[in-house]
Amino acid sequence: MTAPTGDGFDQKARDAVYRAMFTRRDVRSHFTSEAIDDEVLARLLLAAHHAPSVGFMQPWNFIVIRDVARREKVRDLFLAAREQELPEMEAERQALYRKLKLEGISESALNICITCDRERSKGSPLGRWHNPEMDLYSTVCAVQNFWLAARAEGVGVGWVSIIEAHALKALLSIPGHVTPVAYLCVGRVSQFAPRPDLETHGWGQRLPLPELIMSETYRGQGEAPLKSTVARLKSVEAEPHGQRVAPAVPQREPPKEASALSFNSLNLEDASASR
Amino acid sequence: MTAPTGDGFDQKARDAVYRAMFTRRDVRSHFTSEAIDDEVLARLLLAAHHAPSVGFMQPWNFIVIRDVARREKVRDLFLAAREQELPEMEAERQALYRKLKLEGISESALNICITCDRERSKGSPLGRWHNPEMDLYSTVCAVQNFWLAARAEGVGVGWVSIIEAHALKALLSIPGHVTPVAYLCVGRVSQFAPRPDLETHGWGQRLPLPELIMSETYRGQGEAPLKSTVARLKSVEAEPHGQRVAPAVPQREPPKEASALSFNSLNLEDASASR
C-alpha cells in the first residue's frame, strides 16, 4: 500500500515548503531593531532539534547571545578575519569583496551559535565509525531547519563563516571537544531580498541545474528526460514578473505538461538563493 | 518598516513547513517498488539547488543511480562497513545494532549521491579561508532541503553513512577533489513511521531541548523564560493522541498563553524525529 501523494500535504502545503526554501535568504542588511518573542524563538529551536542526526545522537547545543558587548567582540573577530581573507581573493575581485556586507552581528535582535558535541555518542558511534564528520553534518541539518522555519516566521538569519574558530571558542568558553558549526545573526527584517546579495552584487550567478546532474557515475551522461524536466522548471525562474500565473488550485496535481507553472505561485522569479 | 509576520506565510503555511520537519523520517523499511516521476524528482533537485552556499559557491552535484547491479555493489560496501563498525559499539548494544535496518539501497526507487566539489570556488573562496569545511556544510544544507521537500511530496529518503568513502568514490568514479557528502535512498513509501526507528527500537531517545540551550557562553545559565517556553512546546509532543485540538485558524496568531497548542495541528505527538 502506497501512502497518498504527499501523505497529507496538499498542493498548498507543498508550495509552502518550497516557498520557504526558494525565498530564504542569507540576511545581512535588512535587520530591524524589533525583538523576537520567546514563543517564536522556541519554535525555531524546536525545528532545529527535530533535524536528522546520525545514530539519533542529537549532538547540538544552542548558545543564545544577546549581550551587546559580547557581540561587538564577535564582530571584531569578523573584521579581523575579513582582513585576513581579503588577500586570498582574486585581485580583480578584492574591491567588490570590500563592498559586500557580510554580517549583521550587532544590528540583529540576537545571535545564536549552534555547536556540535563530538563526544555525545562516545561508546556507540552508530553511523560514524567510517565517517566521523557525520555529527557535524547532523548539526548543519539543524541549522538548515532553523533557517527555513525562521523564513516561515518572517525572521531573517545570516550565517557568519568569516571568523576564526579558535578565537570564537575562547570568547564563548566552548570546550575542546565541541565544534562551533554555525554563528547565526537572527532578527526581524524589513524585507527578504528578492535575490541573493551575492547575485545582486555580481559576485556570482546561479549555476544551471541540469549541468549539475550526473547519471550512475561522476560525469556520467544520461538522465536526459530528467534534465529537460529540470530545465523547464528553471525556465520559470527566469520569467519576467508579469508572466506569473495564479497559484495552482490546492489538492489538484497540475497536468504534467504544465507542472513547471505550479512553481509560479512560489514567486520563483525572485527566488534564486545563495546562502 | 517591518515585514508582516511570516512575510506571506499564514498559519497554515507555517504549519506545513514545521510539519515537513517534524514528520520527516530517515526511511529504511517502508519503500515500495513504485517509480518516482521525473517531475517530482526535478522539484526535489531544484529544492536542493536552492540551498544556501558559502560565497554562492553551489559546490554540489547530484549523481542519480538507478542501475540495480551498481546498487548491489553499494549495498555490499554497506554490509562490509557494518561488520567493521559493529565491534565499535558497546558490547551490550551489539545485538540490537545487528537487528536494526540501516539502509534501503536496493529496495528504494533510486539512489542519489550528493557530492561536494571542493575546488569550485578556487580563486575566490569567500567565507572559506578560515573555515574550509563550509562547502561541505553548504552541501549538507542541500541534502536537508532535498529531504524536507521529499517529505512534502510523500517521498521517503534515507541517508546511508555506514560506508567507506574511498570505496564509494572508486565505485562511482568520483575524482579526488570531490567529496561524496550523502548517499541517499529515495523512493515512495508505504508509510512514514510515527517515530524514528532508533527511538522505536530503544537505541536512543529525544534529549530534553531546554537542557541544550545555553546563555551567552557554553554552559552559560540563563534564558529561563525561553527554556520554559520550549518546555511547554515539548509537553505537547508527549500528549496522547486523543488530546489533539483542531488546527488553528489560518492568518490568526494564537494567543500567547496557548501558542504551544498550535503545534497540535502538526501531529507533534508522532513527530519526534531522528535522521
Side-chain angles (χ1 to χ4, degrees):
Chain A
M1 251 191 26
T2 297
T5 301
D7 192 30
F9 283 79
D10 60 20
Q11 175 81 46
K12 217 168 165 176
R14 280 199 295 281
D15 279 2
V17 173
Y18 283 116
R19 185 148 55 99
M21 293 171 183
F22 295 145
T23 65
R24 180 206 49 73
R25 286 291 170 272
D26 198 354
V27 176
R28 282 86 162 73
S29 303
H30 303 288
F31 289 112
T32 71
S33 55
E34 197 183 344
I36 297 182
D37 279 359
D38 278 345
E39 301 286 332
V40 173
L41 185 54
R43 291 198 289 266
L44 303 185
L45 293 170
L46 192 65
H49 189 42
H50 280 76
S53 70
V54 62
F56 204 19
M57 173 184 179
Q58 309 160 73
W60 40 71
N61 282 94
F62 307 95
I63 311 176
V64 181
I65 300 145
R66 304 182 192 257
D67 182 61
V68 173
R70 182 168 287 104
R71 289 203 265 159
E72 277 171 10
K73 284 182 192 157
V74 175
R75 187 152 186 279
D76 288 343
L77 294 184
F78 160 80
L79 291 170
R82 195 181 64 156
E83 287 307 304
Q84 291 173 320
E85 182 170 275
L86 176 67
E88 305 300 319
M89 303 296 127
E90 286 161 353
E92 66 272 23
R93 306 189 92 183
Q94 294 190 6
L96 175 54
Y97 179 93
R98 268 196 187 286
K99 271 192 253 174
L100 297 169
K101 179 152 171 52
L102 298 171
E103 55 77 40
I105 296 166
S106 294
E107 63 262 44
S108 53
L110 53 89
N111 298 175
I112 292 187
C113 184
I114 303 187
T115 62
C116 176
D117 183 342
R118 312 294 316 263
E119 297 185 353
R120 199 162 286 166
S121 72
K122 207 163 57 178
S124 289
L126 191 157
R128 282 190 63 214
W129 193 71
H130 295 83
N131 298 295
E133 71 283 3
M134 279 301 299
D135 56 352
L136 299 170
Y137 293 177
S138 300
T139 307
V140 173
C141 290
V143 174
Q144 183 66 356
N145 268 13
F146 185 96
W147 211 334
L148 293 170
R151 178 61 192 84
E153 297 272 8
V155 171
V157 172
W159 182 334
V160 183
S161 63
I162 302 173
I163 209 154
E164 208 279 303
H166 287 98
L168 182 66
K169 286 180 77 161
L171 191 57
L172 302 182
S173 306
I174 296 173
H177 67 284
V178 175
T179 300
V181 169
Y183 193 89
L184 304 177
C185 309
V186 181
R188 295 281 175 196
V189 293
S190 58
Q191 62 158 287
F192 289 93
R195 293 182 174 279
D197 289 353
L198 292 181
E199 189 180 5
T200 303
H201 294 297
W203 186 266
Q205 50 190 359
R206 186 168 304 286
L207 302 175
L209 177 53
E211 295 175 19
L212 302 177
I213 297 171
M214 299 164 172
S215 175
E216 297 296 337
T217 56
Y218 200 82
R219 297 201 195 285
Q221 300 300 310
E223 297 290 348
L226 175 62
K227 287 179 189 173
S228 70
T229 307
V230 167
R232 211 145 31 84
L233 291 182
K234 289 293 288 179
S235 75
V236 175
E237 221 175 321
E239 266 178 29
H241 208 274
Q243 294 185 23
R244 252 181 261 136
V245 301
V249 179
Q251 299 278 23
R252 266 191 51 198
E253 287 289 330
K256 272 207 171 183
E257 310 75 57
S259 70
L261 292 177
S262 75
F263 273 94
N264 274 351
S265 64
L266 305 175
N267 199 0
L268 253 188
E269 186 242 341
D270 294 338
S272 46
S274 74
R275 288 260 309 264
Chain B
M1 251 194 20
T2 297
T5 302
D7 192 31
F9 283 78
D10 60 20
Q11 177 80 46
K12 217 168 164 176
R14 278 200 296 282
D15 279 3
V17 173
Y18 284 117
R19 185 149 54 99
M21 293 170 183
F22 295 145
T23 64
R24 181 206 48 74
R25 287 291 170 271
D26 199 355
V27 176
R28 282 87 161 71
S29 303
H30 302 290
F31 288 112
T32 71
S33 55
E34 199 183 342
I36 297 182
D37 279 359
D38 278 346
E39 302 286 331
V40 174
L41 186 53
R43 291 197 289 266
L44 303 186
L45 292 170
L46 192 66
H49 189 42
H50 279 77
S53 70
V54 62
F56 204 20
M57 173 185 179
Q58 308 159 74
W60 39 71
N61 282 94
F62 308 96
I63 311 176
V64 181
I65 299 146
R66 303 183 194 256
D67 182 61
V68 173
R70 182 170 286 103
R71 288 204 266 159
E72 276 171 11
K73 284 181 191 158
V74 175
R75 187 152 186 277
D76 288 344
L77 294 184
F78 161 80
L79 289 171
R82 194 181 64 155
E83 287 308 305
Q84 290 174 320
E85 183 170 274
L86 176 67
E88 305 300 319
M89 303 297 126
E90 287 161 352
E92 65 273 21
R93 306 189 93 185
Q94 294 189 6
L96 175 55
Y97 179 94
R98 268 198 187 284
K99 271 192 253 174
L100 295 170
K101 179 152 171 51
L102 298 171
E103 54 75 42
I105 296 167
S106 294
E107 63 262 45
S108 54
L110 52 90
N111 297 175
I112 292 187
C113 183
I114 303 188
T115 62
C116 176
D117 183 343
R118 312 293 316 263
E119 296 185 353
R120 199 162 285 166
S121 72
K122 207 164 57 177
S124 288
L126 191 157
R128 282 192 62 215
W129 193 72
H130 296 81
N131 298 295
E133 70 284 1
M134 279 301 299
D135 55 352
L136 299 170
Y137 293 177
S138 300
T139 306
V140 173
C141 289
V143 174
Q144 183 67 356
N145 268 13
F146 186 96
W147 211 336
L148 293 170
R151 179 62 191 85
E153 298 272 9
V155 171
V157 173
W159 182 335
V160 182
S161 63
I162 302 173
I163 209 154
E164 207 281 301
H166 287 98
L168 182 66
K169 286 180 77 161
L171 191 58
L172 303 181
S173 306
I174 296 173
H177 67 284
V178 175
T179 299
V181 169
Y183 193 90
L184 305 177
C185 309
V186 182
R188 294 282 175 195
V189 293
S190 57
Q191 63 159 284
F192 289 94
R195 294 181 173 279
D197 288 353
L198 292 181
E199 190 181 5
T200 303
H201 294 296
W203 186 267
Q205 51 189 358
R206 187 167 303 286
L207 301 175
L209 177 53
E211 294 175 18
L212 302 178
I213 297 171
M214 299 164 171
S215 174
E216 297 296 337
T217 56
Y218 201 82
R219 297 201 195 286
Q221 300 300 308
E223 297 290 349
L226 175 62
K227 287 179 191 175
S228 69
T229 307
V230 166
R232 211 147 30 84
L233 292 182
K234 289 294 286 179
S235 75
V236 174
E237 220 174 322
E239 264 177 32
H241 208 273
Q243 293 184 26
R244 252 181 259 135
V245 301
V249 179
Q251 299 280 21
R252 266 189 53 198
E253 287 289 330
K256 272 205 173 185
E257 310 75 59
S259 70
L261 292 177
S262 73
F263 273 94
N264 274 352
S265 64
L266 304 177
N267 199 358
L268 252 187
E269 185 243 341
D270 295 337
S272 46
S274 73
R275 288 259 310 265

